[in-house]
């Protein structure tokens, strides 16, 4: 209340995220904006992405530096674009460079505007106000619109109607059904936008016809629909998943997720997240097209959140440790190598399975930090063993698909090995075959550079799922690692013909072979007959902590490897 006793409204400040690695520039910019905005700060792109994830519903605009360490502006925009929650948040790029190429690239990645340093404060503030006003006006219009393509509600209006329905019937029981088209972007590339639009219209009509008691539905993503239904005790895939298409559209795979008996206290976006979380559990699972959200998924979500909250501290506190699994040379009978495997022993969570944290780190990008840590731990151990005259064998270290996003990967690994004075042949770079489809040209170029620098390249998981002979013919390789599924299949059927073919293929391409998952003397004998070079598995040794590994090498290693 002012001095005259009249009520006045206090305008709530909008929130702006400033991502700038130069501390002085960041402080000056924040001070400049502080009177008009609530300002969140981030010293690099990775911190900025965390701020964006934590405050996505509040942030009205992002001020983003182009060139920063760890995660630059280009990568920030790329990752922002992958999450539909952040689609409409405008971004103003900031840089001391005024090159046209930088500006074009930023705009192609979704930036809204581009300003060069030093800033004209008044011009910058007016551009910010204009972009925020445009976004808010668009959001208001969106709330009034029906999705023109499908006739379903727009995302914003669906959320509004969902929350209103739950408020008006606080004791009512409702279910939410979400659908997602698998690999929709690839289908768009294959069939074209017009064809895929027709498919989406037919799909929305199919759901609308078949969903019992449908109240309303919305299009909440490019290929994601959501539908509100009265609660059903007998909900099933037969009743909720779409029927078969009539062949007009090709082979589209549609996944359906159900969040039954909605929690009324949740926001609409969180309700939809639970149904889409169920879908995420069956992504790329052949034949599994329907899933329910349940308490285990919620617990899994909370565990993932706990992992993400503690991962940086865990790395700083060296909670991640390297285990080594020996590789047995079938020709000499001695240990001829080892694979470095990461283990996480957390004071709060205990032993955290790699199957839990590695896929999560690959999604959020933290895997690159972990990989570099593991590479350095292996280099440190090799250097110590050489200095102390302990037996040494080559160690293979995994690289993630995220690592290949850096054009400096080969140089970084070489510099690390050189810093510890290691022969590059002691480090084997191990990649999975499935990575090759992501960016084949860049991966092939990076591997060629590593190989030319003396590193050995191992192709992991050959024979797991779909194996492309093209990757063998295109990539610079030294070793083919044959997936454990092939030895298990051969043992179960007493038919080693596929293993024989893989071995002959490797031999014809002058590649050494390593067979994983060897557990019995019978398997060892069969692999010797086939002419395999190395075996890895519990028959000889499980993965060992460093001290046990060193003792194992003393007992099983051949001639000492010279530095």
């Amino acid at each position: 209340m002012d001095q005259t006793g009249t009520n006045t409204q206090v305008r709530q400040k909008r929130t702006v995220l400033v991502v700038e690695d130069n501390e002085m520039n960041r402080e000056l910019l924040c001070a400049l904006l502080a009177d008009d905005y609530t300002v969140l700060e981030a010293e690099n792109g990775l911190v900025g992405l965390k701020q964006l994830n934590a405050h996505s519903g509040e942030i009205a605009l992002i001020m983003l530096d182009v060139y920063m360490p760890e995660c630059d502006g280009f990568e920030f925009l790329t990752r922002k674009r992958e999450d539909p929650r952040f689609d409409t948040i405008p971004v103003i790029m900031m840089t001391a460079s005024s090159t046209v190429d930088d500006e074009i690239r930023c705009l192609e990645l979704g930036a809204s505007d581009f300003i060069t340093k030093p800033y004209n404060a008044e011009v910058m503030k007016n551009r910010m106000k204009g972009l925020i006003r445009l976004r808010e006006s668009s959001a208001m219009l969106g709330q009034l619109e029906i999705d023109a393509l499908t006739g379903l509600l727009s995302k914003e209006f669906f959320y509004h109607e969902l929350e209103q329905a739950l408020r008006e019937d606080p004791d009512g029981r409702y279910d939410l059904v979400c659908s997602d088209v698998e690999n929709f972007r690839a289908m768009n590339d294959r069939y074209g936008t017009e064809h895929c639009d027709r498919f989406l219209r037919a799909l929305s009509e199919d759901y609308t016809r078949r969903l019992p008691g449908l109240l309303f539905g919305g299009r909440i993503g490019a290929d994601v629909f959501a539908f509100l239904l009265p609660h059903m005790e007998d909900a099933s895939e037969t009743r909720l998943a779409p029927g078969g298409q009539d062949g007009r559209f090709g082979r589209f795979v549609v996944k359906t997720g159900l969040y039954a008996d909605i929690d009324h206290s949740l926001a609409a976006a969180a309700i939809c997240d639970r149904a889409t979380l169920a879908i995420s559990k069956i992504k790329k699972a052949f034949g599994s097209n329907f899933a329910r959200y349940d308490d285990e998924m919620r617990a899994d979500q909370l565990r993932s959140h706990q992992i993400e909250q503690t991962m940086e501290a865990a790395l700083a506190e060296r909670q991640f440790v390297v285990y080594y699994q020996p590789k047995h040379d079938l020709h000499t009978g001695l240990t001829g190598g080892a694979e470095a495997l990461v283990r996480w022993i957390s004071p709060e969570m205990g032993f955290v399975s790699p199957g839990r944290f590695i896929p999560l780190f690959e999604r959020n990008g933290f895997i690159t930090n972990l990989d570099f840590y593991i590479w350095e731990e292996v280099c440190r151990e090799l250097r110590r063993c050489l200095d102390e005259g302990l037996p040494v064998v080559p160690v293979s270290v995994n690289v993630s698909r995220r690592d290949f996003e850096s054009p400096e990967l080969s140089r970084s690994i070489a510099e690390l090995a050189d810093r510890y004075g290691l022969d590059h042949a002691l480090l084997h770079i191990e990649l999975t075959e499935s990575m090759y489809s992501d960016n084949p040209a860049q991966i092939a170029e990076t591997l060629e550079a590593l190989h030319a620098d003396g590193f050995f390249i191992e192709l992991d998981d050959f024979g797991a799922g779909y194996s492309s002979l093209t990757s063998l013919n295109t990539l610079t390789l030294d070793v083919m690692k044959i997936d454990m599924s092939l030895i298990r299949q051969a043992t179960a059927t007493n038919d080693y013909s596929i293993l024989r073919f893989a071995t002959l293929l490797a031999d014809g391409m002058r590649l050494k072979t390593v067979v994983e998952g060897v557990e019995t003397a019978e398997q060892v004998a069969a692999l010797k007959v086939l002419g395999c070079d190395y075996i890895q598995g519990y028959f000889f040794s499980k993965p060992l902590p460093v001290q046990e590994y060193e003792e194992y090498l003393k007992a099983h290693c051949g001639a000492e490897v010279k530095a």
Side-chain angles (χ1 to χ4, degrees), residues 276-327:
T276 54
L277 179 64
I279 294 174
S280 72
K281 298 300 180 182
I282 53 173
K283 281 278 190 182
K284 302 187 185 303
F286 180 77
S288 298
N289 297 329
F290 177 79
R292 294 168 171 266
Y293 175 88
D294 55 27
D295 290 339
E296 178 55 34
M297 287 185 187
R298 175 63 177 161
D300 183 74
Q301 193 176 36
L302 292 173
R303 284 193 293 267
S304 295
H305 178 72
Q306 184 180 13
I307 285 172
E308 290 194 299
Q309 291 295 307
T310 59
M311 61 189 185
E312 290 182 335
L315 193 64
E317 295 167 8
R318 303 177 66 80
Q319 294 175 18
F320 295 97
V321 295
V322 181
Y323 277 49
Y324 296 85
Q325 187 167 31
K327 298 174 184 176

Side-chain angles (χ1 to χ4, degrees), residues 90-352:
V91 180
I92 296 179
M93 305 302 297
M94 310 177 294
T95 181
S97 165
S98 58
T99 66
V100 174
D101 288 345
D102 281 350
E103 184 170 356
I104 291 173
R105 187 177 175 194
C106 289
L107 294 173
E108 286 176 342
L109 289 171
S112 308
D113 206 343
F114 195 98
I115 60 175
T116 55
K117 306 171 186 177
Y119 318 117
N120 181 306
E122 290 304 312
V123 170
M124 180 181 68
K125 286 185 175 182
N126 277 290
R127 288 187 179 184
M128 293 174 66
K129 288 178 183 177
L131 285 171
I132 291 172
R133 190 183 303 117
L134 179 62
R135 182 204 183 199
E136 292 175 349
S137 298
S138 298
M140 290 174 65
L141 288 172
Q143 290 184 357
L144 302 176
E145 292 178 351
I146 298 296
D147 176 58
L149 177 65
T150 64
L152 300 173
L153 301 179
S154 67
K155 175 182 176 179
E156 293 80 6
F157 199 46
F158 177 82
Y159 283 176
H160 174 270
E161 291 293 287
L162 174 56
E163 291 177 350
Q164 182 169 309
L166 297 181
R167 279 196 304 270
E168 291 177 352
D169 187 12
D171 298 323
R173 300 179 69 189
Y174 298 94
D175 296 344
L176 188 90
V177 171
C178 276
S179 73
D180 189 9
V181 183
E182 189 137 280
N183 296 322
F184 186 70
R185 186 175 298 175
M187 303 306 285
N188 242 322
D189 292 340
R190 179 177 179 182
Y191 294 115
T193 302
E194 186 177 345
H195 181 90
C196 289
D197 283 351
R198 289 199 300 270
F199 169 75
L200 289 177
R201 279 194 292 270
L203 181 63
S204 67
E205 291 167 3
D206 195 358
Y207 271 110
T208 302
R209 272 196 313 270
R210 69 186 294 105
L211 292 175
L214 173 65
L215 299 172
F216 52 85
R219 186 183 181 196
I220 63 172
D223 60 311
V224 181
F225 302 152
F227 304 92
L228 184 68
L229 316 173
H231 176 62
M232 292 185 296
E233 295 293 347
D234 58 344
S236 65
E237 179 174 3
T238 304
R239 301 192 69 187
L240 299 181
Q245 298 298 324
D246 59 11
R248 291 175 294 164
F249 302 106
R251 191 179 183 281
F252 284 79
V253 177
V254 181
K255 305 289 187 177
T256 302
L258 169 66
Y259 173 29
D261 216 357
I262 291 170
D263 180 348
H264 285 234
S265 68
L266 296 175
I271 292 170
C272 293
D273 284 346
R274 293 195 172 188
T276 54
L277 179 64
I279 294 174
S280 72
K281 298 300 180 182
I282 53 173
K283 281 278 190 182
K284 302 187 185 303
F286 180 77
S288 298
N289 297 329
F290 177 79
R292 294 168 171 266
Y293 175 88
D294 55 27
D295 290 339
E296 178 55 34
M297 287 185 187
R298 175 63 177 161
D300 183 74
Q301 193 176 36
L302 292 173
R303 284 193 293 267
S304 295
H305 178 72
Q306 184 180 13
I307 285 172
E308 290 194 299
Q309 291 295 307
T310 59
M311 61 189 185
E312 290 182 335
L315 193 64
E317 295 167 8
R318 303 177 66 80
Q319 294 175 18
F320 295 97
V321 295
V322 181
Y323 277 49
Y324 296 85
Q325 187 167 31
K327 298 174 184 176
H328 189 78
D329 188 331
L330 285 176
H331 302 299
T332 66
L334 303 171
T335 297
E339 179 181 2
L341 300 165
V342 63
R343 299 291 183 260
W344 184 4
I345 304 171
S346 164
E348 297 84 17
M349 296 179 284
F351 177 82
V352 185

Side-chain angles (χ1 to χ4, degrees), residues 485-505:
S485 61
L486 293 189
I487 189 68
R488 289 175 179 171
Q489 181 187 49
T491 304
T493 61
N494 196 30
D495 181 357
Y496 283 78
S497 57
I498 295 179
L499 272 171
R500 182 179 295 107
F501 168 77
T503 305
L504 289 172
L505 178 63

